[in-house]
Amino acid sequence: YVLVNFDPNIVPGWEMIKIGGSEVEIEVTDSESATGNKSLKLSQTKAWEVDPYKALEQFIQVKPNTTYEYGLKAKGDASPNGKPFFSVYGRTMTKRHHLTSSEDWVSYKFEVTTAKDQTQLDFAILNEDVTSGLYIDDVYLREKGSSINLLSNGGMEDMAASKSMVEQEMNDRGWY
C-alpha cells in the first residue's frame, strides 16, 4: 500500500511515500548542512527487506528531447549494501545513483536526456537499509546550462508548511 505523509516536519514541496512497514526516519535537521541552515537526514535501524521503504519524491514537468543536469550533496553513514539512492526515474531499479559513506560533503552530478515524447521526470530519494544518519542537501534538477532548479525546496530550507495546512489537506481528502 502507499501512504502519503503530510507531516509538516518533513519537507514541504516533497511527497513522502511509504511502502509496507518501513522504519526509515526522514527529517529536516539544522545539525548539518552543505549550504544554508538545514539538510535532510535519513536514518534506519532495521536491515533491508523486500519492499518496505520510504521515499521523498517530486514529479517534474520537462521538455522532450532535452538534456537536464541533476544531483545533490550527501554526507554521513550510508549502508555498505548501497541502499540509499536517488534517481530521476522514481523508485524503480532504473538508473539508481547509490550514495556512499563520507565524513565530508560529496557532490553527486549526473545528466539525463529526455526521450522525444517524454514530458515528466520523477525525482526520488530513497533508503532501504541501516544507516545511523545520512544527510542530504542542495538537491537539484535543471535544464542543462540553466541555473533554475525545477525541484521545489531542494535546499531543505523552506519549512513553511504548518500543522493547520496539513490538517486542512488531510481533511479535504477525507483522511482526518
Side-chain angles (χ1 to χ4, degrees), residues 74-128:
K75 171 185 177 176
D77 173 40
S79 162
N81 298 325
K83 297 299 182 180
F85 73 88
F86 71 104
S87 174
V88 292
Y89 294 98
R91 295 171 275 138
T92 68
M93 297 296 286
T94 305
K95 297 186 181 177
R96 289 182 169 192
H97 302 293
H98 295 276
L99 304 173
T100 58
S101 294
S102 173
E103 292 184 18
D104 296 314
W105 287 98
V106 176
S107 292
Y108 295 84
K109 300 174 184 181
F110 300 95
E111 289 186 0
V112 61
T113 300
T114 53
K116 66 180 180 178
D117 58 350
Q118 186 175 5
T119 59
Q120 181 173 280
L121 288 171
D122 176 3
F123 198 108
I125 300 170
L126 190 141
N127 186 64
E128 298 175 314

